[in-house]
Amino acid sequence: MVTQGRLNGTDFVSSSVPVLGVIPARLGSSRLPRKPLLPLGGEPLVIVVTRRIAELGICDRLVVATDAKEIANVVTEAGFEAVMTSPDHSSGTERVAEVIAKAPFSSFHYILNIQGDEPFVAAAAVRGALACLEGGEPLGTAAGSLDRALVNDPSRVKVVVDARGRAVYFSRAPIPFDRDGTGDVIYHQHVGVYGYTREALEAWVRLPPVPEEQWSDSSSSGRCCTYSMGVTLFDGPAAPGIDTPADLKWAEAEITRHLKEVSS
C-alpha cells in the first residue's frame, strides 16, 4: 500500500518497497584531504552525515561505502555499518553500484546515494529523491531554492528543470542566465542526494561517458541530463555541502549556534 504525504511543501511517498541508503566516503579529496574524518561538532564528518540520515528514518538499511579501513573502523565504532569497496572507482555512483551487487543487498529495489559532505541535508531533499522513484522515474534527485545573492558562489551547484520536472542542466555558474537583468529569475540549488531503481543504477554504470562529463563544470551531473533525471523542487533553501576549509569553518559555526539555541 502506498501513502501520499507532504513535508515542507514537498510531495513524498512512503511504501513497503525496501530502500537502501549508501553514503560513499573516500579519503582522497583534492580540495579537502581526509574530508570524511575531519572533525565537525566533535565528531568525524562522515559520522555526522550518517547519523543525520539515520535519524530521518527514510532508509530501511544505511551503509557507508568506502575504500579506506580507517573510515570503516570509525563508522563501525560509532555503531553504523560500513562496506569495503574498490579503490579504483572514479565516482561515488560506481561505489554505490558495487554495494548493490553484493549478496546482502540483493533485496533492495530503491537506492539512495547521499553525499558524505552534506551534514545539513534537508529531509525534504532525501524524501524528494525517493519520491521521484515512487512516481515512476528511474533516476531522481532534489533541489531547493537559492537566494539571488548566492548565485555566483561556485560551491553551490545550480540546476535548471523543465516543465516535466526533469533536469536540463547543472552548473556551478549562475543558471538560468538573467538575460534582461530584471532580477526575476528563479534559481534552484542542487542537493547531493541521488535516487535510483536497481535496474537504472546497474544500467547507469554500464553506459558510456557523455561529452558533458569531460568538459562540464559539474561533471558528475553531466550524465544525469543526457539520460534524463527527475528533480523534486522543495520549499526552502538548500544548505551548502563541505568542499573547502571555509565550508568546514562555516559548518562548525552553525553547529555551535544551534547548540547555544537549544541550551538557552
Side-chain angles (χ1 to χ4, degrees):
M1 179 178 180
V2 177
T3 58
Q4 298 281 351
R6 290 184 65 81
L7 180 73
N8 295 333
T10 300
D11 289 318
F12 68 92
V13 184
S14 174
S15 78
S16 58
V17 177
V19 178
L20 173 66
V22 184
I23 301 173
R26 64 186 184 92
L27 290 177
S29 171
S30 57
R31 286 184 289 181
L32 200 57
R34 297 177 60 79
K35 178 163 62 172
L37 299 180
L38 293 177
L40 179 61
E43 290 187 301
L45 174 60
V46 67
I47 300 304
V48 175
V49 175
T50 304
R51 179 172 290 110
R52 166 67 175 161
I53 300 303
E55 289 175 348
L56 294 180
I58 296 169
C59 302
D60 296 285
R61 189 170 178 181
L62 178 64
V63 303
V64 173
T66 183
D67 59 358
K69 284 284 189 181
E70 191 174 357
I71 292 176
N73 290 339
V74 166
V75 169
T76 55
E77 287 172 5
F80 298 107
E81 184 177 2
V83 177
M84 292 301 300
T85 54
S86 169
D88 299 327
H89 294 308
S90 61
S91 69
T93 305
E94 292 180 2
R95 200 172 301 283
V96 175
E98 181 184 345
V99 170
I100 70 162
K102 296 179 183 292
F105 306 101
S106 61
S107 63
F108 291 96
H109 181 64
Y110 291 152
I111 297 94
L112 292 178
N113 171 357
I114 305 103
Q115 301 301 288
D117 57 4
E118 300 256 2
F120 306 113
V121 62
V126 183
R127 290 193 172 101
L130 179 58
C132 290
L133 306 182
E134 294 281 12
E137 296 283 357
L139 305 167
T141 189
S145 58
L146 179 61
D147 191 298
R148 293 185 183 90
L150 299 173
V151 297
N152 290 305
D153 182 353
S155 68
R156 297 173 186 265
V157 175
K158 277 69 71 175
V159 58
V160 174
V161 180
D162 68 16
R164 300 174 301 162
R166 303 277 178 80
V168 176
Y169 197 71
F170 296 83
S171 180
R172 295 183 183 277
I175 58 170
F177 177 63
D178 189 1
R179 182 190 61 186
D180 300 323
T182 62
D184 295 331
V185 173
I186 297 175
Y187 298 97
H188 298 288
Q189 179 181 331
H190 180 234
V191 179
V193 180
Y194 298 90
Y196 325 85
T197 63
R198 169 175 290 274
E199 293 77 10
L201 180 54
E202 290 172 342
W204 176 278
V205 294
R206 294 194 300 266
L207 291 171
V210 298
E212 290 82 356
E213 293 181 67
Q214 304 301 318
W215 47 257
S216 171
D217 59 352
S218 182
S219 59
S220 63
S221 303
R223 211 179 303 188
C224 300
C225 301
T226 302
Y227 296 114
S228 185
M229 172 173 276
V231 181
T232 293
L233 302 178
F234 62 88
D235 296 342
I242 296 178
D243 291 318
T244 66
D247 294 335
L248 188 64
K249 184 177 180 180
W250 173 87
E252 187 70 45
E254 281 296 295
I255 287 180
T256 300
R257 180 182 61 81
H258 176 70
L259 291 175
K260 287 182 178 178
E261 289 178 352
V262 171
S263 61
S264 62

